[in-house]
Amino acid sequence: MKLGLLTRNKEAWCSKQLIKSIMKREVQPVCFQFPDLTARVSCKPEISMNNCQNLLDELDAILVRPIGRGSLDEIIFRLDLLHRMERLGLPIVNSPSAIEKAVDKYHALAFLEEGGIPIPKTIVTENAMTALKAFYELGSDVVVKPIFGSRGIGITRVTDAEVASRIFRTLSFFHNIIYLQEFIPHGTRDIRILVVGERAIAAMYRVALAWKTNISQGANPVPFTPEGELKKLAVRASKIIGCEVAGVDVMEGKNGFVINEINSQPGFKGLQLSTGIDVSGAIIDYVLKKVACR
Ligand SMILES: Nc1ncnc2c1ncn2[C@@H]1O[C@H](COP(=O)(O)OP(=O)(O)OP(=O)(O)O)[C@@H](O)[C@H]1O
Ligand SMILES: [Mg+2]
């Protein structure tokens, strides 16, 4: 059996852990990146690696790690490739449709709201004047985010109307979408719950010195055992987005828990090291079970 690991960097900590877990189960890992792939239409093989092996004959499933930043062309083509492989019968975890929903902050929150999940009030527009009205509507304390998130980079808290107006005009001028969210006073920590299949397998607080709680921004992982209802909320939210493996970020607001986002390609170094839970093993077991059940 061969398991494909679609990863930009097979030397990265999470990729190495996944490779170890795959080999421990006597399965062969095959690591590759999107630029290694060639797609053919109306000539065979439909998707090949290094221009020769037919990926669909080679592999039993693919586990997708971060698809990375790229141009619009690259991102669309990468997702098209995943969709095509899935249609041709190769199990992909997470599925391309789940990745599409999760990476787009507006799209994801809209699905979560429709599914009855508590989320922060969010207003999205292309118009700077409308954004300024939204700033007041959200209590003049907002978080401005790029619609495609990236480890807390480019996210700003704004409480001053003049600064807000300047930011909105600049974003609009450069054809960026203006994505505003009410600030949730979460006390400089949030909760990350790792969901695999139908189970919340591990959780931690991400404790920061300021309001951004990304580990990559310096927050510290602190093990945490969520109560049953919170676990159920995380599993339900992951299911709505269609993520079989998900990093669910939960903020504790004044009115209870709100889901900030569902990460479809979550890093798990902090979680695995702080809790001692074998996250990579659980992910690989899930994918292998999926292959076995086909
Ligand atoms: N509405 C909010 N109120 C308070 N804090 C927030 C809010 N939105 C985000 N944050 C903080 O900022 C951090 C980064 O925001 P978010 O997770 O939305 O984007 P990102 O991490 O850049 O995206 P991605 O996880 O997709 O890389 C969150 O982990 C949280 O600590
Ligand atoms: Mg985040």
Side-chain angles (χ1 to χ4, degrees):
M1 186 183 273
K2 286 186 188 171
L3 188 55
L5 189 63
L6 191 34
T7 171
R8 269 175 304 167
N9 178 8
K10 61 180 184 208
E11 298 301 324
W13 192 90
C14 290
S15 295
K16 275 182 160 170
Q17 291 299 312
L18 290 164
I19 292 165
K20 258 196 224 163
S21 299
I22 295 170
M23 290 171 65
K24 219 167 145 185
R25 285 152 182 82
E26 296 185 355
V27 172
Q28 188 183 328
V30 179
C31 297
F32 57 98
Q33 315 178 3
F34 280 103
D36 297 331
L37 301 182
T38 305
R40 289 183 176 75
V41 185
S42 189
C43 45
K44 301 257 171 191
E46 289 95 344
I47 308 224
S48 57
M49 194 174 4
N50 301 329
N51 235 359
C52 53
Q53 302 142 291
N54 182 356
L55 219 65
L56 302 159
D57 296 337
E58 276 292 301
L59 303 178
D60 294 280
I62 293 178
L63 180 62
V64 184
R65 294 298 302 151
I67 62 171
R69 285 200 158 268
S71 66
L72 188 61
D73 281 21
E74 284 169 331
I75 299 298
I76 290 178
F77 176 60
R78 287 171 188 179
L79 282 160
D80 290 347
L81 268 178
L82 295 179
H83 274 296
R84 167 100 151 150
M85 289 193 278
E86 191 179 56
R87 284 200 304 281
L88 293 174
L90 196 57
I92 315 270
V93 177
N94 279 311
S95 74
S97 63
I99 295 173
E100 269 166 4
K101 283 183 199 149
V103 296
D104 177 334
K105 285 188 189 293
Y106 164 67
H107 207 38
L109 280 199
F111 275 105
L112 293 177
E113 188 197 24
E114 289 158 27
I117 302 290
I119 43 127
K121 282 185 195 152
T122 304
I123 301 179
V124 191
T125 177
E126 296 186 24
N127 184 297
M129 287 299 289
T130 310
L132 192 58
K133 286 189 195 136
F135 167 79
Y136 291 118
E137 188 182 330
L138 294 175
S140 304
D141 188 358
V142 302
V143 178
V144 185
K145 305 185 182 186
I147 202 158
F148 299 114
S150 189
R151 302 165 167 202
I153 299 163
I155 294 192
T156 318
R157 180 178 176 185
V158 188
T159 53
D160 180 282
E162 270 185 51
V163 175
S165 172
R166 177 90 183 170
I167 290 173
F168 301 157
R169 282 170 197 281
T170 307
L171 288 173
S172 172
F173 182 80
F174 287 107
H175 295 276
N176 287 122
I177 299 297
I178 309 169
Y179 183 103
L180 304 182
Q181 196 163 73
E182 63 173 322
F183 181 78
I184 304 287
H186 52 60
T188 72
R189 72 170 191 195
D190 71 354
I191 299 166
R192 159 65 60 93
I193 302 178
L194 207 290
V195 172
V196 179
E198 300 272 325
R199 288 195 315 126
I201 64 156
M204 64 178 172
Y205 281 120
R206 300 189 298 180
V207 181
L209 292 176
W211 62 275
K212 284 187 203 174
T213 55
N214 303 73
I215 297 283
S216 53
Q217 298 274 341
N220 283 315
V222 175
F224 165 65
T225 308
E227 36 151 312
E229 282 308 308
L230 181 54
K231 283 187 183 175
K232 276 191 208 156
L233 183 69
V235 171
R236 199 150 64 83
S238 308
K239 244 184 166 173
I240 288 169
I241 302 299
C243 284
E244 296 157 277
V245 175
V248 181
D249 292 345
V250 186
M251 296 189 285
E252 296 164 284
K254 285 193 299 268
N255 303 319
F257 294 123
V258 286
I259 302 277
N260 175 34
E261 65 175 345
I262 310 290
N263 296 278
S264 62
Q265 301 136 51
F268 51 84
K269 183 176 177 185
L271 193 58
Q272 183 157 322
L273 292 179
S274 65
T275 61
I277 294 171
D278 182 10
V279 174
S280 59
I283 293 172
I284 298 306
D285 284 340
Y286 175 82
V287 177
L288 295 180
K289 198 165 159 205
K290 190 177 164 98
V291 173
C293 291
R294 288 174 74 210

